Coordinates of all heavy atoms in Angstrom, one line a residue:
G6 N 66.5 95.8 127.5 CA 66.2 96.6 128.7 C 65.1 96.0 129.5 O 64.6 94.9 129.2
R7 N 64.7 96.6 130.6 CA 63.8 96.0 131.5 C 62.4 95.8 130.9 O 61.8 94.8 131.1 CB 63.6 97.0 132.7 CG 64.4 96.6 133.9 CD 64.5 97.6 135.0 NE 63.3 98.3 135.3 CZ 63.2 99.3 136.1 NH1 64.3 99.8 136.6 NH2 62.1 99.9 136.3
V8 N 61.9 96.8 130.1 CA 60.6 96.6 129.6 C 60.6 95.5 128.6 O 59.7 94.7 128.5 CB 60.2 97.9 128.9 CG1 58.9 97.8 128.1 CG2 60.0 99.0 129.9
E9 N 61.6 95.4 127.8 CA 61.7 94.3 126.8 C 61.7 92.9 127.4 O 61.0 92.0 126.9 CB 62.9 94.5 125.9 CG 62.8 95.6 124.9 CD 63.0 97.0 125.6 OE1 63.5 97.0 126.7 OE2 62.6 98.0 125.0
E10 N 62.3 92.8 128.6 CA 62.3 91.5 129.3 C 60.9 91.2 129.7 O 60.5 90.1 129.7 CB 63.3 91.6 130.5 CG 64.7 91.5 130.1 CD 65.6 92.0 131.2 OE1 65.3 91.7 132.4 OE2 66.7 92.6 130.9
K11 N 60.2 92.2 130.2 CA 58.8 91.9 130.6 C 58.0 91.6 129.4 O 57.1 90.7 129.5 CB 58.2 93.2 131.3 CG 59.0 93.7 132.5 CD 59.4 92.6 133.5 CE 60.2 93.2 134.6 NZ 61.4 92.6 134.8
L12 N 58.2 92.2 128.3 CA 57.4 91.9 127.2 C 57.6 90.5 126.7 O 56.7 89.8 126.2 CB 57.7 92.8 126.0 CG 57.2 94.3 126.1 CD1 57.9 95.2 125.1 CD2 55.7 94.3 126.0
Y13 N 58.7 89.9 127.0 CA 59.0 88.6 126.6 C 58.2 87.6 127.5 O 57.7 86.6 127.0 CB 60.5 88.3 126.8 CG 60.9 86.9 126.4 CD1 61.0 86.5 125.1 CD2 61.1 85.9 127.4 CE1 61.3 85.2 124.7 CE2 61.5 84.6 127.0 CZ 61.6 84.3 125.7 OH 61.9 83.0 125.4
Q14 N 58.0 88.0 128.8 CA 57.3 87.1 129.7 C 55.8 87.2 129.5 O 55.1 86.1 129.6 CB 57.6 87.5 131.1 CG 59.1 87.2 131.5 CD 59.6 87.9 132.7 OE1 58.8 88.6 133.4 NE2 60.8 87.9 132.9
N15 N 55.2 88.3 129.3 CA 53.8 88.5 129.2 C 53.6 89.5 128.1 O 54.4 90.3 127.8 CB 53.2 89.0 130.5 CG 53.2 88.0 131.6 OD1 52.5 87.0 131.5 ND2 53.9 88.4 132.6
R16 N 52.4 89.5 127.5 CA 52.1 90.5 126.6 C 51.8 91.7 127.4 O 51.0 91.7 128.3 CB 50.9 90.1 125.7 CG 51.3 90.1 124.2 CD 50.1 89.7 123.4 NE 49.6 90.9 122.7 CZ 48.3 91.1 122.5 NH1 47.4 90.3 122.8 NH2 47.9 92.2 121.8
Y17 N 52.3 92.9 127.0 CA 52.1 94.1 127.8 C 51.8 95.2 126.9 O 52.5 95.5 125.9 CB 53.3 94.4 128.7 CG 52.9 95.4 129.7 CD1 52.4 94.9 131.0 CD2 53.0 96.7 129.5 CE1 52.1 95.8 131.9 CE2 52.6 97.6 130.5 CZ 52.1 97.1 131.7 OH 51.7 98.0 132.7
I18 N 50.6 95.9 127.1 CA 50.3 97.0 126.3 C 50.5 98.3 127.0 O 49.9 98.5 128.1 CB 48.8 96.9 125.9 CG1 48.4 95.5 125.5 CG2 48.4 98.0 124.8 CD1 48.4 95.2 124.1
V19 N 51.4 99.1 126.6 CA 51.8 100.3 127.3 C 50.8 101.4 126.9 O 50.6 101.7 125.7 CB 53.2 100.7 127.0 CG1 53.5 102.1 127.6 CG2 54.2 99.7 127.5
D20 N 50.2 102.0 127.9 CA 49.3 103.1 127.7 C 50.2 104.4 127.8 O 50.4 105.0 128.8 CB 48.3 103.1 128.8 CG 47.1 104.0 128.5 OD1 47.2 104.7 127.4 OD2 46.2 104.1 129.3
A21 N 50.8 104.7 126.6 CA 51.8 105.8 126.6 C 51.4 107.1 127.2 O 50.3 107.6 126.9 CB 52.3 106.0 125.1
G22 N 52.2 107.6 128.1 CA 51.9 108.9 128.7 C 50.9 108.8 129.8 O 50.6 109.9 130.4
K23 N 50.4 107.6 130.2 CA 49.5 107.5 131.3 C 49.9 106.4 132.2 O 49.3 105.4 132.3 CB 48.1 107.1 130.8 CG 47.4 108.3 130.0 CD 45.9 108.0 130.1 CE 45.1 109.0 129.3 NZ 45.3 110.4 129.7
P24 N 51.1 106.7 132.9 CA 51.5 105.7 133.9 C 50.5 105.5 135.0 O 49.8 106.4 135.4 CB 52.8 106.3 134.5 CG 52.7 107.7 134.2 CD 51.8 107.9 133.0
H25 N 50.2 104.2 135.4 CA 49.1 104.0 136.3 C 49.6 104.0 137.8 O 48.8 103.9 138.7 CB 48.4 102.7 136.0 CG 49.1 101.5 136.2 ND1 48.9 100.6 137.2 CD2 50.2 100.9 135.5 CE1 49.7 99.6 137.1 NE2 50.5 99.8 136.1
I26 N 50.9 104.1 138.0 CA 51.4 104.2 139.3 C 52.4 105.4 139.3 O 53.2 105.6 138.4 CB 52.2 103.0 139.8 CG1 51.3 101.7 139.6 CG2 52.7 103.1 141.2 CD1 52.1 100.4 139.8
A27 N 52.3 106.3 140.3 CA 53.2 107.4 140.4 C 53.7 107.5 141.8 O 52.9 107.3 142.8 CB 52.5 108.7 140.0
I28 N 54.9 107.9 142.0 CA 55.5 108.1 143.3 C 55.5 109.6 143.6 O 55.9 110.4 142.8 CB 56.9 107.5 143.4 CG1 57.0 106.1 143.0 CG2 57.5 107.8 144.8 CD1 58.4 105.5 142.9
E29 N 55.0 109.9 144.8 CA 55.0 111.3 145.2 C 56.5 111.8 145.4 O 57.4 111.0 145.8 CB 54.3 111.5 146.6 CG 52.8 111.3 146.5 CD 52.2 112.3 145.5 OE1 52.5 113.5 145.7 OE2 51.4 111.9 144.6
P30 N 56.8 113.0 145.1 CA 58.1 113.5 145.2 C 58.6 113.4 146.7 O 57.8 113.6 147.6 CB 58.0 115.0 144.9 CG 56.8 115.1 144.0 CD 55.9 114.0 144.6
H31 N 59.8 113.0 146.9 CA 60.4 112.8 148.2 C 61.9 113.0 148.2 O 62.5 112.9 147.1 CB 60.1 111.4 148.7 CG 60.6 110.3 147.8 ND1 59.9 109.8 146.7 CD2 61.8 109.6 147.8 CE1 60.7 108.9 146.0 NE2 61.8 108.8 146.7
T32 N 62.4 113.3 149.4 CA 63.9 113.5 149.5 C 64.5 112.2 149.9 O 65.4 111.7 149.3 CB 64.2 114.6 150.5 OG1 63.4 115.8 150.1 CG2 65.7 115.0 150.5
I33 N 63.9 111.6 151.0 CA 64.4 110.4 151.5 C 63.2 109.4 151.5 O 62.2 109.7 152.0 CB 64.9 110.5 152.9 CG1 66.1 111.5 153.0 CG2 65.3 109.2 153.5 CD1 66.5 112.0 154.4
P34 N 63.4 108.2 150.8 CA 62.3 107.3 150.7 C 62.0 106.6 152.1 O 63.0 106.4 152.9 CB 62.7 106.3 149.7 CG 64.2 106.4 149.7 CD 64.5 107.8 150.1
S35 N 60.8 106.3 152.4 CA 60.5 105.5 153.6 C 61.1 104.1 153.4 O 61.4 103.7 152.3 CB 59.0 105.4 153.8 OG 58.4 104.6 152.8
R36 N 61.1 103.4 154.5 CA 61.6 102.0 154.4 C 60.8 101.2 153.5 O 61.3 100.4 152.7 CB 61.5 101.4 155.8 CG 62.7 101.6 156.7 CD 62.6 101.0 158.0 NE 62.3 99.5 157.9 CZ 62.6 98.7 158.9 NH1 63.2 99.1 160.0 NH2 62.3 97.4 158.7
N37 N 59.5 101.3 153.5 CA 58.6 100.5 152.7 C 58.8 100.9 151.2 O 58.8 100.0 150.3 CB 57.1 100.7 153.0 CG 56.7 99.9 154.2 OD1 57.5 99.0 154.7 ND2 55.6 100.2 154.7
L38 N 59.0 102.2 150.9 CA 59.2 102.6 149.6 C 60.5 102.1 149.0 O 60.6 101.5 147.9 CB 59.1 104.1 149.5 CG 59.3 104.7 148.1 CD1 58.3 104.2 147.1 CD2 59.2 106.2 148.1
L39 N 61.5 102.1 149.8 CA 62.8 101.6 149.4 C 62.8 100.1 149.2 O 63.4 99.5 148.3 CB 63.9 102.0 150.5 CG 65.3 101.7 150.1 CD1 65.7 102.5 148.8 CD2 66.3 102.1 151.2
A40 N 62.0 99.5 150.1 CA 61.9 98.0 150.0 C 61.3 97.6 148.7 O 61.6 96.5 148.2 CB 61.0 97.5 151.2
M41 N 60.4 98.4 148.1 CA 59.8 98.0 146.8 C 60.9 97.7 145.7 O 60.6 97.0 144.8 CB 58.9 99.1 146.3 CG 57.6 99.2 147.1 SD 56.8 97.6 147.5 CE 56.6 96.9 145.9
T42 N 62.1 98.3 145.9 CA 63.1 98.1 144.9 C 63.5 96.6 144.9 O 64.2 96.1 143.9 CB 64.3 99.0 145.1 OG1 64.9 98.7 146.3 CG2 63.9 100.5 145.0
K43 N 63.2 96.0 146.0 CA 63.6 94.5 146.1 C 62.4 93.6 146.0 O 62.5 92.5 145.6 CB 64.3 94.3 147.4 CG 65.5 95.1 147.6 CD 66.6 94.4 148.4 CE 68.0 95.0 148.2 NZ 68.0 96.5 148.4
V44 N 61.2 94.2 146.4 CA 60.0 93.3 146.6 C 59.2 93.3 145.3 O 58.5 92.2 145.0 CB 59.2 93.9 147.8 CG1 57.8 93.2 147.8 CG2 60.0 93.6 149.1
C45 N 59.1 94.3 144.5 CA 58.3 94.3 143.3 C 58.6 93.1 142.4 O 59.8 93.1 142.0 CB 58.4 95.6 142.6 SG 57.6 95.6 141.0
P46 N 57.7 92.2 142.1 CA 58.0 91.1 141.3 C 58.4 91.4 139.9 O 58.9 90.6 139.2 CB 56.8 90.2 141.4 CG 55.7 91.1 141.7 CD 56.3 92.2 142.6
A47 N 58.0 92.6 139.5 CA 58.2 93.0 138.1 C 59.4 93.9 138.0 O 59.8 94.3 136.9 CB 57.0 93.7 137.5
G48 N 60.1 94.2 139.1 CA 61.3 95.1 139.0 C 61.0 96.5 138.6 O 61.8 97.1 138.0
C49 N 59.8 97.0 138.9 CA 59.4 98.3 138.4 C 60.1 99.4 139.2 O 60.3 100.5 138.7 CB 57.9 98.5 138.5 SG 57.0 97.4 137.3
Y50 N 60.4 99.1 140.4 CA 61.0 100.2 141.3 C 62.5 100.1 141.3 O 63.1 99.1 141.2 CB 60.5 100.0 142.7 CG 59.0 100.4 143.0 CD1 58.0 99.5 142.6 CD2 58.7 101.6 143.5 CE1 56.7 99.8 142.9 CE2 57.4 102.0 143.8 CZ 56.4 101.1 143.4 OH 55.1 101.4 143.6
A51 N 63.1 101.3 141.3 CA 64.6 101.3 141.3 C 65.0 102.5 142.1 O 64.3 103.5 142.2 CB 65.1 101.5 139.9
E52 N 66.2 102.4 142.7 CA 66.8 103.5 143.5 C 67.6 104.3 142.5 O 68.4 103.8 141.8 CB 67.6 102.9 144.6 CG 68.0 104.0 145.6 CD 68.7 103.4 146.8 OE1 68.9 102.2 146.9 OE2 69.1 104.2 147.7
T53 N 67.5 105.6 142.6 CA 68.3 106.5 141.8 C 69.7 106.8 142.4 O 69.9 106.4 143.6 CB 67.6 107.9 141.6 OG1 67.6 108.6 142.8 CG2 66.2 107.7 141.1
D54 N 70.6 107.4 141.7 CA 71.9 107.7 142.2 C 71.8 108.6 143.4 O 72.7 108.6 144.3 CB 72.7 108.4 141.1 CG 73.1 107.5 140.0 OD1 73.0 106.2 140.1 OD2 73.4 108.0 138.9
T55 N 70.8 109.4 143.5 CA 70.7 110.3 144.6 C 69.8 109.8 145.7 O 69.5 110.6 146.6 CB 70.1 111.7 144.0 OG1 69.0 111.4 143.2 CG2 71.2 112.4 143.2
G56 N 69.4 108.6 145.7 CA 68.8 107.9 146.8 C 67.3 108.0 146.8 O 66.7 107.6 147.8
Q57 N 66.6 108.5 145.8 CA 65.2 108.5 145.7 C 64.8 107.2 145.0 O 65.6 106.5 144.5 CB 64.6 109.7 145.0 CG 64.7 111.0 145.7 CD 66.1 111.6 145.7 OE1 66.7 111.7 144.7 NE2 66.6 112.1 146.9
V58 N 63.5 106.9 145.1 CA 62.9 105.7 144.4 C 62.1 106.2 143.3 O 61.3 107.1 143.4 CB 62.1 104.9 145.4 CG1 61.4 103.7 144.7 CG2 63.0 104.3 146.5
E59 N 62.3 105.6 142.1 CA 61.6 105.9 140.9 C 60.9 104.6 140.4 O 61.2 103.5 140.8 CB 62.5 106.4 139.8 CG 63.5 105.4 139.4 CD 64.5 106.0 138.3 OE1 64.4 107.2 138.0 OE2 65.2 105.1 137.7
I60 N 59.9 104.8 139.6 CA 59.1 103.7 139.1 C 59.0 103.8 137.6 O 58.7 104.9 137.0 CB 57.8 103.6 139.7 CG1 57.1 102.3 139.3 CG2 56.9 104.8 139.5 CD1 55.9 101.9 140.1
V61 N 59.1 102.7 136.9 CA 58.7 102.5 135.5 C 57.6 101.5 135.6 O 57.9 100.3 135.7 CB 59.9 102.1 134.6 CG1 59.4 101.9 133.2 CG2 61.0 103.1 134.6
S62 N 56.4 101.9 135.5 CA 55.3 101.0 135.7 C 55.0 100.1 134.6 O 54.2 99.1 134.7 CB 54.0 101.7 136.2 OG 53.6 102.6 135.2
D63 N 55.6 100.3 133.4 CA 55.4 99.4 132.3 C 55.9 98.0 132.7 O 57.0 97.9 133.3 CB 56.2 99.8 131.1 CG 55.9 101.2 130.6 OD1 54.8 101.7 131.1 OD2 56.6 101.8 129.8
G64 N 55.1 97.0 132.5 CA 55.5 95.6 133.0 C 54.9 95.3 134.3 O 55.1 94.1 134.7
C65 N 54.3 96.2 135.0 CA 53.7 95.9 136.3 C 52.7 94.8 136.1 O 51.9 94.7 135.2 CB 52.9 97.2 136.8 SG 51.8 96.9 138.1
L66 N 52.8 93.8 137.1 CA 52.0 92.7 137.0 C 50.7 92.9 137.8 O 49.9 91.9 138.0 CB 52.7 91.5 137.7 CG 54.0 91.1 136.9 CD1 54.9 90.2 137.7 CD2 53.7 90.5 135.5
E67 N 50.4 94.1 138.3 CA 49.2 94.4 139.1 C 49.0 93.4 140.2 O 47.9 93.0 140.6 CB 48.0 94.4 138.1 CG 48.1 95.5 137.1 CD 47.2 95.3 135.9 OE1 46.1 94.7 136.1 OE2 47.5 95.8 134.8
C68 N 50.1 93.1 140.9 CA 50.1 92.2 142.1 C 49.5 92.9 143.3 O 49.0 92.3 144.2 CB 51.4 91.6 142.4 SG 52.5 92.8 143.2
G69 N 49.6 94.2 143.3 CA 49.0 95.0 144.4 C 49.9 95.2 145.6 O 49.5 95.9 146.5
T70 N 51.1 94.6 145.6 CA 51.9 94.8 146.8 C 52.2 96.2 147.1 O 52.0 96.7 148.3 CB 53.3 94.0 146.6 OG1 53.0 92.7 146.3 CG2 54.1 94.1 147.8
C71 N 52.7 97.0 146.1 CA 53.0 98.4 146.4 C 51.8 99.2 146.8 O 51.8 100.1 147.6 CB 53.8 99.0 145.3 SG 52.9 99.1 143.7
R72 N 50.7 98.8 146.2 CA 49.4 99.5 146.5 C 49.1 99.3 148.0 O 48.7 100.3 148.6 CB 48.3 99.0 145.6 CG 47.0 99.7 145.8 CD 45.9 99.3 144.9 NE 45.0 100.3 144.7 CZ 43.9 100.3 144.0 NH1 43.6 99.2 143.3 NH2 43.0 101.3 143.9
V73 N 49.2 98.1 148.5 CA 48.8 97.8 149.9 C 49.7 98.6 150.8 O 49.3 99.1 151.8 CB 48.9 96.3 150.1 CG1 48.8 96.0 151.6 CG2 47.7 95.6 149.4
L74 N 51.0 98.6 150.4 CA 52.0 99.2 151.3 C 52.1 100.7 151.3 O 52.3 101.4 152.3 CB 53.4 98.7 151.0 CG 53.8 97.2 151.4 CD1 55.1 96.9 150.9 CD2 53.7 97.1 152.9
L75 N 51.9 101.3 150.1 CA 52.2 102.7 149.9 C 51.1 103.6 149.6 O 51.2 104.8 149.7 CB 53.3 102.8 148.9 CG 54.6 102.0 149.2 CD1 55.5 102.0 148.0 CD2 55.3 102.6 150.4
E76 N 50.0 103.0 149.1 CA 48.9 103.9 148.8 C 48.2 104.5 150.1 O 47.9 105.7 150.1 CB 47.8 103.2 147.9 CG 46.9 104.2 147.2 CD 45.8 103.5 146.4 OE1 45.3 102.4 146.9 OE2 45.4 104.0 145.4
P77 N 48.0 103.7 151.1 CA 47.4 104.3 152.3 C 48.2 105.5 152.9 O 47.7 106.4 153.6 CB 47.3 103.1 153.3 CG 47.4 101.9 152.4 CD 48.3 102.3 151.3
T78 N 49.5 105.4 152.8 CA 50.4 106.5 153.3 C 50.5 107.7 152.4 O 51.2 108.6 152.7 CB 51.8 105.9 153.7 OG1 52.4 105.5 152.5 CG2 51.7 104.8 154.7
G79 N 50.0 107.5 151.2 CA 50.0 108.6 150.3 C 51.4 108.7 149.5 O 51.6 109.7 148.8
E80 N 52.2 107.7 149.7 CA 53.5 107.8 149.0 C 53.4 107.5 147.5 O 54.3 107.9 146.8 CB 54.4 106.8 149.6 CG 54.9 107.2 151.0 CD 55.6 106.1 151.8 OE1 54.9 105.2 152.4 OE2 56.8 106.0 151.7
I81 N 52.4 106.8 147.1 CA 52.2 106.6 145.7 C 50.7 106.8 145.4 O 49.8 106.7 146.3 CB 52.6 105.1 145.2 CG1 51.7 104.0 145.9 CG2 54.0 104.9 145.5 CD1 51.8 102.7 145.2
T82 N 50.4 107.0 144.1 CA 49.0 106.9 143.6 C 49.0 105.7 142.7 O 50.0 105.4 142.0 CB 48.6 108.2 142.9 OG1 49.5 108.4 141.8 CG2 48.5 109.3 143.8
W83 N 47.9 105.0 142.8 CA 47.9 103.7 142.1 C 46.5 103.5 141.5 O 45.5 103.7 142.2 CB 48.1 102.6 143.1 CG 48.5 101.2 142.6 CD1 49.8 100.7 142.7 CD2 47.8 100.2 141.9 NE1 49.8 99.4 142.2 CE2 48.6 99.1 141.6 CE3 46.4 100.2 141.5 CZ2 48.1 98.0 141.0 CZ3 46.0 99.0 140.8 CH2 46.8 97.9 140.6
S84 N 46.4 103.2 140.2 CA 45.1 102.9 139.6 C 45.3 101.8 138.6 O 46.4 101.7 138.0 CB 44.5 104.2 139.0 OG 45.4 104.7 138.0
Y85 N 44.3 101.1 138.3 CA 44.4 100.1 137.3 C 44.6 100.7 135.9 O 44.0 101.8 135.7 CB 43.2 99.2 137.2 CG 43.2 98.1 138.3 CD1 42.4 98.3 139.5 CD2 44.0 97.0 138.2 CE1 42.5 97.3 140.5 CE2 44.1 96.1 139.2 CZ 43.3 96.2 140.4 OH 43.4 95.3 141.4
P86 N 45.4 100.1 135.0 CA 45.5 100.7 133.7 C 44.1 100.7 133.1 O 43.2 99.9 133.4 CB 46.4 99.7 133.0 CG 47.1 99.0 134.0 CD 46.2 98.9 135.2
R87 N 43.9 101.7 132.1 CA 42.6 101.7 131.4 C 42.4 100.4 130.7 O 43.3 99.7 130.4 CB 42.7 102.8 130.4 CG 42.8 104.2 131.0 CD 42.6 105.3 129.9 NE 43.7 105.2 128.9 CZ 43.6 105.8 127.7 NH1 42.5 106.4 127.3 NH2 44.6 105.7 126.8
G88 N 41.1 100.1 130.5 CA 40.8 98.9 129.8 C 41.5 98.7 128.5 O 41.7 99.7 127.7
G89 N 42.1 97.5 128.3 CA 42.8 97.3 127.0 C 44.3 97.5 127.2 O 45.0 97.2 126.3
F90 N 44.7 98.1 128.3 CA 46.1 98.4 128.5 C 46.6 97.5 129.7 O 45.7 97.0 130.4 CB 46.4 99.8 128.8 CG 46.1 100.7 127.6 CD1 44.9 101.3 127.4 CD2 47.0 100.9 126.6 CE1 44.6 102.1 126.4 CE2 46.8 101.7 125.5 CZ 45.5 102.3 125.4
G91 N 47.9 97.5 129.9 CA 48.4 96.8 131.0 C 48.7 95.3 130.6 O 48.8 95.0 129.5
V92 N 48.8 94.5 131.7 CA 49.4 93.2 131.5 C 48.2 92.3 131.0 O 47.1 92.3 131.4 CB 50.0 92.6 132.8 CG1 49.0 92.4 133.9 CG2 50.8 91.4 132.5
L93 N 48.6 91.4 130.1 CA 47.7 90.4 129.6 C 48.4 89.1 129.9 O 49.4 88.7 129.2 CB 47.4 90.5 128.1 CG 46.8 91.8 127.6 CD1 46.7 91.9 126.1 CD2 45.5 92.1 128.2
F94 N 48.0 88.4 130.9 CA 48.7 87.2 131.3 C 48.6 86.1 130.3 O 47.5 85.9 129.7 CB 48.3 86.7 132.7 CG 48.6 87.6 133.8 CD1 47.7 88.5 134.3 CD2 49.9 87.6 134.3 CE1 48.1 89.4 135.3 CE2 50.3 88.5 135.3 CZ 49.4 89.4 135.8
K95 N 49.7 85.4 130.1 CA 49.6 84.2 129.2 C 49.2 83.0 130.1 O 49.8 82.7 131.1 CB 51.0 83.9 128.7 CG 51.4 84.7 127.5 CD 52.6 84.1 126.8 CE 53.6 85.2 126.3 NZ 54.9 84.6 126.1
F96 N 48.2 82.3 129.6 CA 47.9 81.0 130.3 C 48.1 79.9 129.4 O 47.7 79.8 128.3 CB 46.4 81.1 130.7 CG 46.1 82.1 131.7 CD1 45.5 83.3 131.3 CD2 46.4 82.0 133.0 CE1 45.2 84.3 132.2 CE2 46.2 83.0 134.0 CZ 45.5 84.1 133.6
G97 N 48.9 78.9 129.9 CA 49.2 77.7 129.1 C 50.2 77.9 128.0 O 50.6 79.0 127.7
Ligands
SF4_107 FE1 55.3 95.9 141.2 FE2 53.1 94.7 142.1 FE3 53.4 97.3 142.4 FE4 53.0 96.4 140.0 S1 51.6 96.3 141.7 S2 54.6 97.9 140.6 S3 54.1 94.4 140.1 S4 54.6 95.7 143.4

């Protein structure tokens, strides 16, 4: 699955029950929100069968793209994972 693929690329500690990004309920996603399904480098955003956008933030690389685009408009809430959780990048 998606999360397992991310775990292969980087070590990722899931803070169970405390997702650090949440999408506000919506009927029709904005262009920017919909675009995240293609732009997020971690593939966290996906379009549902009914046309909304959902997120599984496990595997998020904390690149900040969605935060810059969608936090100011209130479409998402975004916070860094608590210390000790989230992505631990592999160097070398
Ligand atoms: Fe994807 Fe970057 Fe947003 Fe994380 S911060 S969900 S990697 S766009």
